[in-house]
Amino acid sequence: VEGSGPPLVFLHGYGAHGGHWRPWLPHLTADYTCVCIDLPGFGSAPAPRDGDYSPGGLAAAVVESILHLDLHAVTLVGHSLGGGVAIVAALDLLDQARRGEAPRLARLVSVAGAAYPQREPPFVHLARLGWMADLGFTLLPKRWLIRTAMSAIVVQKDAVTEERVAAYAQPMGDRHRRRAILACARTIVPDDLDRLVARIPEIDVPALCLWGRQDPVIPLSVGHRLARELPQGRLAVLESCGHQVV
């Protein structure tokens, strides 16, 4: 938690952690309280064997954190998987407000966020290969895995720094976190995805969809659709930018 002012709650993508947002913070902390969350099983967050690493389970942990910190007028900012988690968390917060609890949600920002049925990204598909994925995650060099995955989703290759690669790779050395990462991949598409998609127009708060034009993971067409279906949605497209919008 850094800065002061209205809270921005940042949710990282698959395989990442709260440190993903580090380059954003110097531009924001003078005006906002920036809360960077490690989703369950990622970064330094606990990775219990029986944890719920589905988008719904991750969203429940986010909402619990917002309530624990007693945050109000929250802007949820989610990247990739975190964008999908932000949608589910936004719906949960709106449901609470409809039940008479204190309103918490003020805005939503989806940064190349998951939202609709689509082809699985290759690294998620590979992570779902059962014992083969577990063996590969155990034996293959972690920094090589991360560097290869990151290089495939950025346009500007100098964004793949050794510091960033090391930060992503470090948690993968722990078998509990590897198990959580694989469990998340296997449940990354919610069983009730159609229901959640149908509820997106209920998120009637100012919403920004921020997308790289060359995103190979969650294509720009998703951003166009999401901006149309969110009642107060608008789309901003970043040129010469892929999936890693940092």
Side-chain angles (χ1 to χ4, degrees):
V1 179
E2 296 184 23
S4 60
L8 306 177
V9 175
F10 290 95
L11 310 177
H12 59 78
Y14 179 77
H17 51 83
H20 167 91
W21 304 101
R22 181 60 54 188
W24 294 50
L25 300 189
H27 308 284
L28 297 169
T29 51
D31 300 303
Y32 299 96
T33 298
C34 296
V35 182
C36 299
I37 291 179
D38 282 350
L39 295 172
F42 295 92
S44 59
R49 179 180 291 275
D50 59 351
D52 182 354
Y53 302 108
S54 69
L58 300 178
V62 171
V63 171
E64 183 180 353
S65 296
I66 290 171
L67 297 179
H68 175 73
L69 295 171
D70 195 25
L71 301 178
H72 297 267
V74 169
T75 298
L76 288 172
V77 185
H79 173 247
S80 195
L81 168 63
V85 173
I87 288 174
V88 181
L91 290 169
D92 288 348
L93 290 171
L94 291 172
D95 286 344
Q96 289 185 7
R98 293 187 187 105
R99 294 194 297 266
E101 300 179 35
R104 305 272 179 175
L105 181 68
R107 296 176 180 83
L108 176 70
V109 180
S110 180
V111 184
Y116 305 105
Q118 64 167 84
R119 184 179 66 180
E120 284 183 352
F123 50 87
V124 172
H125 176 73
L126 292 173
R128 297 178 71 167
L129 295 180
W131 66 267
M132 294 177 62
D134 196 14
L135 185 64
F137 269 60
T138 302
L139 298 180
L140 291 173
K142 308 302 182 293
R143 294 195 182 199
W144 177 83
L145 277 173
I146 295 298
R147 189 178 297 106
T148 300
M150 290 183 67
S151 296
I153 63 175
V154 299
V155 172
Q156 298 175 340
K157 303 305 180 184
D158 58 359
V160 186
T161 64
E162 287 304 310
E163 180 182 9
R164 186 170 292 169
V165 168
Y168 275 65
Q170 190 273 332
M172 292 177 60
D174 180 90
R175 62 187 177 90
H176 301 291
R177 305 202 180 284
R178 288 198 303 271
R179 185 175 62 236
I181 290 171
L182 296 175
C184 181
R186 294 171 188 136
T187 58
I188 203 165
V189 179
D191 293 336
D192 60 347
L193 179 58
D194 290 342
R195 181 186 67 83
L196 292 170
V197 167
R199 293 193 64 194
I200 286 175
E202 296 178 26
I203 307 175
D204 193 1
V205 297
L208 172 65
C209 303
L210 184 62
W211 244 263
R213 187 173 295 280
Q214 289 84 26
D215 191 332
V217 179
I218 301 180
L220 179 57
S221 58
V222 172
H224 281 288
R225 179 179 174 184
L226 187 59
R228 286 196 307 270
E229 295 191 358
L230 288 164
Q232 299 185 56
R234 68 181 182 92
L235 175 67
V237 179
L238 301 178
E239 303 295 339
S240 300
C241 183
H243 187 60
Q244 195 85 349
V245 189
V246 291

